Amino acid sequence: MTTAMTTANANEAAVAKYKNNFLKEVEATVEEGHWVKMCMQCGVCAGSCPFGPHWEHSPQKIFMMIRAGKREEVLKSDAMWMCTSCYNCMVRCPRQLPITHIMHGLANYSYRLGLSPKGQPNQAIAKLFWDSALKYGRVNELKFSLAMYFRDGFVQGVKNALAMQGVGLGLVKAGRLNPMEIISGHTCKDTSGIHKMIAKAREIEDRRRGLA
Amino acid sequence: MTASIATNQTILVVGGGIAGMTAALEAAECGKQVILVEKSPTLGGRTSMLYRYFPKMCFPTCGLEINLRRLRGNPNVRVMTMTEVAAVSGSRGDYNVTLKVKPRYVNENCTACGDCGKAVSAEVPNVANYGLNKIKAAYLPHAMAYPQRFVIDPSIVGTPEGEAAKAACKFGAVDLGMQEETIEIKAGSVVWATGWRPYDANKIQPYGYDRYANVITSLEFERLCDPQGPTGGKVLRPSDGKEAKNIAFIQCAGSRDENHLRHCSRICCMATLKQTQYVREAAGEDAKSTVYYIDIRVIDRLEDFYQNVQKDPNVSFVKSKVARIALNEANNSPILHGVDTEGYHRYATEHDLVVLAVGMEPEVVGVKLPEDIVLDSSNFIEGSKSGGMFGAGSAASPLDVNRSVQSATAAAMRSVQVIHKTASTEAA
Ligand SMILES: Cc1cc2nc3c(=O)[nH]c(=O)nc-3n(C[C@H](O)[C@H](O)[C@H](O)COP(=O)(O)OP(=O)(O)OC[C@H]3O[C@@H](n4cnc5c(N)ncnc54)[C@H](O)[C@@H]3O)c2cc1C
Ligand code: SF4
Ligand code: SF4
């Protein structure tokens, strides 16, 4: 298996490879990135997003910034991390751009290049979720929730846990959360198989995106 | 019933709007025999339902009048109203066509005196006003209707109302025993001038046409501005009958949208620019129009019209496709939400009335057409495989009146060529 480049190298390599053509870079490296040029700047996605007023860069704006070559601004933006996957924009886009998927693709790419905003809470959650899935082959919901609560230290963690007590108990009652998971936590049958599979998938993907 | 009214030298024109009338007349004036079938009770099509038409802002009666005069003077065209094509078989130069003729319940003795209408009290939705008001169930479709002959709505046939209409007619023109007829004819070539219909605004859910009284379509707006329309030419809000002074126009409502119509309907930008001038005419200096658009698409000499509207201080333009409409519950005014493309400003703007510039969809969507027909990806008629059938006017492409007439003339020309070829092969 080829070892992945360090993130800083990967970023430099991408800059060198695509020169000033950020649109080309996005098309080649970001999931569904080839759709970006289809945007006609109508504004429907920006106006449909329930989070719209709370972030700086709507999908409409991000797509225009990509075309305008605003590489740093796009990749460092927290916009992609704010997307809740409600799919409002995507079902309404008159050009049928897979907007939600592009936003996630951009988030992932910026993370891989080490440019994503540090300490962005949604990014932290995504990473916890992914790490848990990777390790056990499934997400251990109890450990995942606790890791989230205690992200900002022990005291804050206890406060968070207490605040969410009602929800937690509800989940236990509904059979969605098993308190015993904290001790054993069940995994899938062949975790090492899963690890291998994911490593292979990553290798293929990295090669395709020029990150290997 | 088989009628010997046509041979394979005859040109059949389907649809009696401006395009169908033009195609029929152009072919007839070349000496060809033409049958013009129209499914409604009158010729004129959707042009006759406009208040005025761009670019010269003439009244549709004007253009219609010229064509009707040509028609009356030409024995080569046979007009059949309330008639639809049920089936077409055969190929270029030799078509068999089945026509279905609906009963009008009024025969050619009618002088359009209107006595039957006076005798009837039942009312039906007025199609000429897009159902915005009602009309007596014995009616003349509109002032310029051709033929100038009343229609009895089927809903009163077999009721005392129907009998009252019959009794009131001094000319014996009301015939309640009329039945639907099926007629088989021959034709050498067929011109499809079946026109367009407005895209169903209910399907554009975020705009709430089905929920908000003060969100209307551009067609309804044409009728509101017309002195012959349901409000006598006043722009009144459907919710409370108050005069609308601050009007929003939303472009591309259903057009240029893969979820609705994928094509640009081409005429709606010009139609809106025209309608902003109605607003000024109806409500004067204190009336405001705001046009929300993706891009304004007007072409060649129509640019002048656009530039003049841009100079109008009462008209403003917002480059943005409105994302959704909410309602101010207190006064029933629609609030438009979106983000503009020139600066990415988020807006929530209230208007008295919202006009959706709805797209044009081919009227034949959902109609079973002959297999030979070739349609484009939006179901406009491109022609036919064997080259004997042609699309004309807005059935062929979303076109304005001027371009519909051009397209119809071209289709007539091609049909005449088909008939010539048929005639010369038969002579040989
Ligand atoms: C809001 C709005 C405003 C507009 N304003 C303008 C303007 O100002 N100026 C301008 O130039 N254009 C304007 N247009 C465009 C204009 O309406 C069209 O160009 C014009 O109607 C096209 O004429 P047509 O004959 O092709 O179709 P139509 O007018 O649709 O006529 C088609 C005819 O065919 C008949 N028909 C349909 N199917 C059948 C069938 N199966 N069998 C028999 N008969 C059938 C119909 O009953 C109808 O009479 C406007 C359009 C809109 C939406
Ligand atoms: S809705 Fe689609 S076409 Fe419109 S601005 Fe957003 S991505 Fe672009
Ligand atoms: S003519 Fe204008 S309003 Fe109509 S679909 Fe095209 S761009 Fe949109």
Side-chain angles (χ1 to χ4, degrees):
Chain A
M1 190 184 130
T2 31
T3 38
M5 291 186 214
T6 66
T7 48
N9 285 347
N11 187 33
E12 276 163 28
V15 172
K17 180 164 179 197
Y18 297 100
K19 306 260 168 10
N20 289 324
N21 200 332
F22 186 40
L23 177 61
K24 272 230 173 82
E25 179 179 348
V26 168
E27 286 177 342
T29 57
V30 172
E31 193 186 341
E32 306 280 15
H34 60 281
W35 275 97
V36 169
K37 62 174 172 295
M38 291 300 290
C39 168
M40 64 172 164
Q41 289 293 302
C42 72
V44 159
C45 54
S48 302
C49 176
F51 260 92
H54 307 292
W55 63 10
E56 205 191 329
H57 303 133
S58 63
Q60 175 192 25
K61 210 164 170 181
I62 288 273
F63 299 157
M64 197 62 206
M65 286 159 69
I66 292 174
R67 285 196 275 190
K70 299 206 180 286
R71 187 175 188 275
E72 293 269 299
E73 273 176 70
V74 170
L75 294 174
K76 289 184 170 167
S77 170
D78 74 342
M80 298 86 83
W81 300 98
M82 300 284 279
C83 171
T84 59
S85 308
C86 74
Y87 285 84
N88 240 344
C89 57
M90 191 158 148
V91 296
R92 288 188 189 164
C93 170
R95 287 282 174 95
Q96 287 183 344
L97 268 76
I99 304 173
T100 313
H101 303 166
I102 306 171
M103 293 303 270
H104 292 319
L106 281 168
N108 177 272
Y109 186 58
S110 73
Y111 175 75
R112 292 297 307 278
L113 297 184
L115 295 177
S116 55
K118 306 283 171 281
Q120 209 289 333
N122 296 346
Q123 178 178 246
I125 293 173
K127 187 153 172 10
L128 283 172
F129 189 95
W130 178 239
D131 288 347
S132 179
L134 256 188
K135 193 162 168 198
Y136 307 110
R138 66 196 300 279
V139 174
N140 181 319
E141 264 149 25
L142 192 65
K143 285 186 183 161
F144 171 59
S145 323
L146 290 176
M148 255 175 59
Y149 297 161
F150 290 92
R151 218 167 56 89
D152 302 322
F154 184 75
V155 177
Q156 187 59 37
V158 172
K159 277 192 198 153
N160 289 344
L162 284 174
M164 295 298 284
Q165 210 177 20
V167 177
L169 284 175
L171 286 172
V172 172
K173 265 195 208 138
R176 304 283 303 150
L177 198 68
N178 179 359
M180 294 313 284
E181 296 262 294
I182 195 74
I183 309 163
S184 58
H186 66 282
T187 57
C188 65
K189 279 189 195 128
D190 179 12
T191 26
S192 74
I194 291 250
H195 293 163
K196 276 191 209 132
M197 194 174 78
I198 296 209
K200 187 73 194 170
R202 174 132 187 193
E203 185 193 324
I204 296 169
E205 190 189 273
D206 283 358
R207 203 183 320 123
R208 252 189 227 151
R209 298 159 104 193
L211 290 171
Chain B
M1 172 182 147
T2 308
S4 56
I5 52 172
T7 67
N8 63 355
Q9 307 281 309
T10 304
I11 295 171
L12 172 67
V13 178
V14 190
I18 190 72
M21 288 168 75
T22 303
L25 284 164
E26 294 291 343
E29 286 168 6
C30 290
K32 298 295 157 215
Q33 294 297 313
V34 179
I35 293 189
L36 174 59
V37 304
E38 164 57 50
K39 72 173 173 187
S40 80
T42 175
L43 297 185
R46 296 204 184 259
T47 315
S48 55
M49 290 149 91
L50 302 175
Y51 166 35
R52 292 176 170 210
Y53 68 110
F54 63 73
K56 291 199 260 169
M57 301 297 260
C58 352
F59 296 98
T61 41
C62 168
L64 206 55
E65 178 58 40
I66 297 168
N67 280 307
L68 291 177
R69 204 177 311 142
R70 281 167 83 189
L71 196 63
R72 286 191 203 100
N74 197 317
N76 290 346
V77 189
R78 181 181 168 131
V79 176
M80 300 176 73
T81 50
M82 304 195 76
T83 304
E84 264 184 271
V85 173
V88 178
S89 62
S91 61
R92 180 191 161 101
D94 185 26
Y95 291 106
N96 298 306
V97 184
T98 310
L99 302 175
K100 276 218 157 58
V101 188
K102 287 221 181 82
R104 179 190 275 265
Y105 304 111
V106 177
N107 64 29
E108 54 285 350
N109 292 344
C110 175
T111 63
C113 70
D115 285 348
C116 56
K118 282 179 212 132
V120 164
S121 56
E123 291 185 322
V124 289
N126 187 355
V127 180
N129 279 331
Y130 286 97
L132 290 174
N133 65 353
K134 294 202 158 185
I135 193 170
K136 289 285 184 66
Y139 63 98
L140 193 62
H142 54 78
M144 286 290 292
Y146 181 92
Q148 278 280 311
R149 198 187 297 171
F150 271 60
V151 189
I152 307 268
D153 193 83
S155 64
I156 63 163
V157 174
T159 72
E161 287 273 295
E163 295 305 325
K166 185 178 159 82
C169 181
K170 295 193 281 286
F171 306 96
V174 177
D175 175 359
L176 299 170
M178 278 186 186
Q179 298 291 326
E180 184 174 287
E181 277 182 83
T182 304
I183 301 176
E184 306 283 340
I185 62 162
K186 292 227 140 243
S189 176
V190 183
V191 174
W192 292 87
T194 37
W196 61 279
R197 65 173 170 236
Y199 184 70
D200 180 4
N202 286 325
K203 292 189 189 158
I204 316 167
Q205 268 301 309
Y207 292 166
Y209 175 74
D210 56 344
R211 306 187 290 281
Y212 310 142
N214 296 326
V215 176
I216 65 171
T217 68
S218 48
L219 288 318
E220 289 164 341
F221 192 68
E222 287 285 334
R223 300 318 304 144
L224 288 189
C225 294
D226 192 334
Q228 314 256 3
T231 53
K234 289 215 170 72
V235 183
L236 305 179
R237 303 206 320 163
S239 71
D240 52 15
K242 284 200 191 121
E243 205 174 342
K245 297 249 169 184
N246 175 5
I247 300 174
F249 294 89
I250 299 186
Q251 297 311 109
C252 306
S255 304
R256 297 177 67 186
D257 191 332
E258 295 287 343
N259 302 308
H260 300 284
L261 302 173
R262 62 195 312 263
H263 58 271
C264 164
S265 295
R266 283 212 207 110
I267 50 85
C268 13
C269 278
M270 265 308 285
T272 288
L273 294 175
K274 171 186 75 171
Q275 291 179 345
T276 63
Q277 302 306 294
Y278 295 170
V279 173
R280 171 174 269 279
E281 181 187 307
E285 283 302 321
D286 52 337
K288 272 183 18 204
S289 299
T290 311
V291 182
Y292 294 84
Y293 69 101
I294 304 176
D295 358 67
I296 296 289
R297 292 187 164 174
V298 296
I299 39 174
D300 55 63
R301 64 198 174 96
L302 300 175
E303 278 276 342
D304 287 355
F305 199 105
Y306 179 28
Q307 279 162 11
N308 286 333
V309 175
Q310 277 179 311
K311 280 185 215 137
D312 185 336
N314 292 358
V315 182
S316 45
F317 292 86
V318 179
K319 187 168 172 63
S320 165
K321 184 169 167 74
V322 173
R324 68 186 172 90
I325 298 179
L327 193 69
N328 180 346
E329 306 271 352
N331 58 7
N332 274 316
S333 289
I335 303 171
L336 275 49
H337 288 268
V339 173
D340 78 34
T341 304
E342 293 169 324
Y344 301 104
H345 309 291
R346 199 162 284 277
Y347 59 82
T349 313
E350 186 170 318
H351 294 273
D352 298 341
L353 185 69
V354 174
V355 179
L356 303 180
V358 285
M360 288 165 109
E361 167 175 70
E363 179 72 305
V364 290
V365 167
V367 173
K368 198 179 171 303
L369 291 168
E371 270 176 30
D372 207 22
I373 286 275
V374 181
L375 302 175
D376 72 9
S377 66
S378 292
N379 290 311
F380 288 102
I381 298 172
E382 288 190 332
S384 66
K385 283 180 214 131
S386 68
M389 297 196 275
F390 308 99
S394 58
S397 184
L399 298 174
D400 60 16
V401 171
N402 181 19
R403 286 175 180 77
S404 290
V405 168
Q406 287 174 4
S407 146
T409 307
M413 185 69 192
R414 293 198 193 100
S415 281
V416 168
Q417 286 169 350
V418 171
I419 301 298
H420 270 293
K421 287 232 175 80
T422 314
S424 55
T425 20
E426 282 187 0

